Amino acid sequence: MEGCDRDGRAVLSSAEETAVAAAAVAVVRRFQVERAAGRMKVTLSRRQQRILLQRVLDAPDCVTTSEAVLQLCFAIGCGVVPRTMPRWWMRRRTGGTWEDLRLCDDAMDDYFREKLRMSRRVFIEISEACAPLLRRQVTFYREPLPPEQIVAYALYRWATGESYDNNTSSFGIGRASGILAVRDVTNALLRVYGDRISWPTGVQKQVGLRAFLDKGFPNCHGAVDCTHIYVDKPTNALDENYFDRKHRFAVIAQVVVDLDLRVLDVFVGYQGSCHDIRVIQLSSLSRRAGQGLLFRGPPVTLPGGVRTNGYILGDNGYPPS
């Protein structure tokens, strides 16, 4: 810079002004060149696209292929062709347990085991077997519940032990419908699977005895334990009779199973306050064992010196007998 003006501000010399002007012209010129090159590229790209499109349209099968693609897209959009369900990275909530059970994806089997204590395959088998007994006629006033929903609610009620007031809303039904559904499913299961729970005989008995023998329990027929089924307190019943150690109203179910968890005997009905020993003493299992109807095998001597014709295993809550 050379000198100052009358106000004391620095001013550019002639050479500096020429250099600044030349730089500005160069920048503007570069911008114009790049802009022209961009327009040329866009023009060439559009021209190439038109040429390619014309070649496709000139192909003999173009119209047929285009119509097929459009029809496929229309079918997928209308739901005729099912889409592949995505994985459950996060569990979706659709507003109810029944709606969640109706979804089909790779996390469904785990959801069935969590809510109904069984796989989806077993649930479908039970629903199909009980459907003829649960199907209702469509009337002028209402549309009946599908058998699958009735079975699902009853199983959910038994699996969770929740009250009718709490769990019926998850299935979109009322309290009265929930009570009726449990009764209907109970009667249907007794009619369809009434002969499934039985004490083993013949070959099945020998297979069970052999399985326990391989585990170190000779002449053992099964294992027994009790579980609590939570219920609403029966009307006009004493609270302390049905109040169990977990401070809930319940009845006791005594179950005998083999090594494959196949149920051999069930005894249900005593109040939740009863001890396991008291239940087995009052059960039909103890009565039949005392009459010699269960353990008829040859006597064996156990490691403790006990000689018996047969027995079932229990935890520390049962005294040796």
Side-chain angles (χ1 to χ4, degrees), residues 59-294:
D61 296 334
C62 176
V63 177
T64 304
T65 305
S66 300
E67 291 180 353
V69 173
L70 290 176
Q71 291 177 1
L72 178 60
C73 295
F74 181 76
I76 294 176
C78 295
V80 177
V81 179
R83 296 185 178 92
T84 302
M85 295 298 295
R87 287 190 59 86
W88 266 12
W89 300 111
M90 291 187 300
R91 176 165 294 172
R92 289 167 289 178
R93 290 290 180 264
T94 58
T97 304
W98 171 239
E99 294 298 329
D100 290 340
L101 292 172
R102 296 176 64 183
L103 295 175
C104 294
D105 51 29
D106 53 359
M108 181 50 58
D109 203 52
D110 295 336
Y111 194 74
F112 266 84
R113 293 184 183 278
E114 176 185 347
K115 297 299 181 180
L116 305 184
R117 305 296 191 269
M118 64 180 61
S119 64
R120 185 170 182 268
R121 179 186 60 82
V122 175
F123 169 75
I124 293 176
E125 291 179 359
I126 295 176
S127 299
E128 292 178 351
C130 298
L133 302 175
L134 300 175
R135 191 172 289 112
R136 299 293 182 264
Q137 184 178 2
V138 179
T139 64
F140 178 77
Y141 300 99
R142 63 177 177 83
E143 183 178 355
L145 296 174
E148 297 81 7
Q149 185 175 358
I150 297 175
V151 174
Y153 172 74
L155 296 176
Y156 179 79
R157 157 74 176 168
W158 293 329
T160 61
E162 294 182 2
S163 64
Y164 289 104
D165 296 329
N166 292 334
N167 56 30
T168 50
S169 59
S170 299
F171 284 79
I173 61 178
R175 187 177 188 276
S177 298
I179 296 175
L180 184 61
V182 171
R183 293 177 180 176
D184 291 344
V185 173
T186 301
N187 295 330
L189 290 175
L190 291 176
R191 292 184 59 181
V192 175
Y193 299 104
D195 57 343
R196 295 298 181 91
I197 299 177
S198 60
W199 200 259
T201 58
V203 177
Q204 184 180 358
K205 176 181 178 180
Q206 298 302 321
V207 171
L209 291 174
R210 180 65 183 181
F212 277 104
L213 178 61
D214 294 340
K215 296 294 183 179
F217 300 99
N219 221 15
C220 179
H221 289 254
V224 62
D225 201 0
C226 289
T227 184
H228 288 210
I229 301 176
Y230 300 116
V231 298
D232 295 335
K233 187 182 77 68
T235 306
N236 300 326
L238 296 177
D239 295 351
E240 56 270 18
N241 290 345
Y242 288 88
F243 212 52
D244 64 1
R245 62 181 182 276
K246 295 183 179 179
H247 307 290
R248 299 182 65 177
F249 297 109
V251 294
I252 297 178
Q254 176 184 273
V255 183
V256 181
V257 299
D258 59 11
L259 276 181
D260 295 327
L261 298 183
R262 180 179 179 272
V263 179
L264 308 180
D265 184 82
V266 176
F267 183 74
V268 185
Y270 275 92
Q271 300 92 332
S273 60
C274 291
H275 195 275
D276 294 355
I277 300 176
R278 181 62 175 168
V279 174
I280 197 172
Q281 290 174 348
L282 299 175
S283 67
S284 59
L285 179 71
S286 178
R287 183 177 65 255
R288 287 183 293 161
Q291 296 173 354
L293 301 177
L294 298 181

